[in-house]
Amino acid sequence: MKLTYHMSTKVIMGEKCIRDNAELIRGMGKRALIVTGASSAKLCGALDDVTASLKSAGKSHVIYDKVMNNPTVDCVYDGAAIARREGTDFVIAIGGGSPMDAAKAIALLARQIMPRKKLFSGEFGTDVLPMAHVPTTAGTGSEVTPYAILTNDEIHSKQSISSPALFPKYAFLDVRYLNSLPHQAAVNTAIDALSHAVEGMLTVRAGIMSDLIARESISRISACFDALTGRSLDKENKEQLLYGSMLAGIVIANTGTTALHSMGYPLTYYKNIEHGRANGLLMAAYLEFLNTHVPEKISEILSLMNIDSVNSLRLLLDKLLGGKEAVTLKEIEQYAENSSMSKNVKNTIYEPSVTDMQGIYRQSFKL
Ligand code: NAP
Ligand code: ZN
């Protein structure tokens, strides 16, 4: 029996869960830094709920709403400077994976000043501002992971900061915040969550507990395939996606991701393709590659999705993702080389070579 499991975030899910749990926020500190993007926190109602809860708990706050999609290293250094200048002693992140990840790096840098190189080394202390995370997408699971993924121009890709100190203290999941999410964003983020649960089962670190949670996550997310293709997500579907995405976050918190995520990062960095969409564009060819090496794993994953073959999954993803971006052979060579540097490749149950990765890209983009 093989098992390693850790999760230190308290998860609270339910409508109005932030307003109903103001006493938890009361214990976090005196002055909050709210970290968010330009508009979604206001649009979906989460910002009002958080500020009302802070007010009822007698806490002051400052808002840092400059987090862009795929946040940069500059962005988190800016946020940390504001956290220090304003004397904030806890962080509330509201948004998709971008603000939630940025908030983790800001909470770290607010307490520990360090040069950029050291940030990605993981060689820092455990002194980090306490954090509460409020997801407004159902995709990244960042509310329950110890990872912050930033755009690092020095390596021309995205790179992860990872430390057990980066687990948020609380995650508040309220399905109402998904109501303002555009349909295609719901699709892309659902595919990201699916990808986390699927990849978790395809890592060298997978164990019986992460597999147990991954199976539940894949089943919950896959039960929404019809509503995702039919553009008819109802409240129950959204709850399943939010729950499934959080479960998938717990999976990768314990297993990490695989070469599929590594291969998606250059697509985001160079082509500005959304993170979940990038994974979705590559997923069928990636599973087909692994099917020749670990067929029993792939067949279990497909049966959890209630899908009979990798080809049926490809058709489903094509329908969900629509027309594909143009990618050249030269770009593919560069992306495969770039991906091969990522440590997630070594975490894959059967490690693809650079040539294998070129083949997966070529098949995905029909070159
Ligand atoms: P995102 O980049 O956080 O947000 C994408 C867009 O959706 C933004 O324009 C955002 O607006 C908008 N949006 C978010 N919630 C909305 C809502 N409820 N209503 C309307 N618009 C909304 O998207 P994401 O896919 O959730 O996160 C992707 C990031 O997470 C990537 O950087 C990826 O690398 C990272 N990630 C992290 C982990 C982890 O374990 N830490 C795992 C997977 C992925 P605003 O700009 O106004 O907020
Ligand atoms: Zn992801």
Side-chain angles (χ1 to χ4, degrees), residues 93-139:
I94 309 174
S98 296
M100 289 197 288
D101 282 4
K104 292 176 189 172
I106 290 170
L108 167 68
L109 293 166
R111 274 282 167 74
Q112 302 179 51
I113 300 173
M114 66 185 87
R116 291 163 184 239
K117 275 229 153 47
K118 194 171 173 192
L119 182 62
F120 292 103
S121 72
E123 289 163 14
F124 41 75
T126 55
D127 188 15
V128 174
L129 294 179
M131 296 173 269
H133 277 41
V134 183
T136 64
T137 62

Side-chain angles (χ1 to χ4, degrees), residues 39-40 69 96-98 101 136-137 140 145 147 158 177 180 196 275:
S39 58
S40 63
N69 295 356
S98 296
D101 282 4
T136 64
T137 62
T140 70
T145 74
Y147 312 126
K158 302 191 71 178
Y177 304 148
S180 53
H196 296 156
H275 172 67

Side-chain angles (χ1 to χ4, degrees), residues 139-140 149 192-193 195-196 199 252 257 261 265 275-276 279:
T140 70
I149 306 189
D192 187 28
S195 176
H196 296 156
E199 287 179 68
I252 60 166
T257 55
H261 262 65
Y265 292 151
H275 172 67
N279 294 334

Side-chain angles (χ1 to χ4, degrees), residues 253-331:
N254 286 280
T255 63
T257 55
T258 69
L260 177 55
H261 262 65
S262 310
M263 293 176 67
Y265 292 151
L267 293 176
T268 300
Y269 187 83
Y270 288 106
K271 295 272 174 191
N272 207 19
I273 297 176
E274 292 90 340
H275 172 67
R277 176 176 173 81
N279 294 334
L281 290 170
L282 301 167
M283 189 185 284
Y286 179 70
L287 295 187
E288 191 161 307
F289 163 75
L290 285 179
N291 199 30
T292 58
H293 303 288
V294 285
E296 65 300 336
K297 283 269 177 194
I298 304 304
S299 97
E300 182 186 4
I301 287 166
L302 290 172
S303 87
L304 288 164
M305 291 183 193
N306 214 4
I307 281 182
D308 59 6
S309 65
V310 175
N311 200 42
S312 302
L313 177 64
R314 176 177 292 115
L315 295 174
L316 171 74
L317 289 167
D318 283 351
K319 200 167 172 186
L320 285 170
L321 297 171
K324 297 184 177 179
E325 291 76 359
V327 177
T328 65
L329 277 172
K330 200 167 173 350
E331 286 170 330

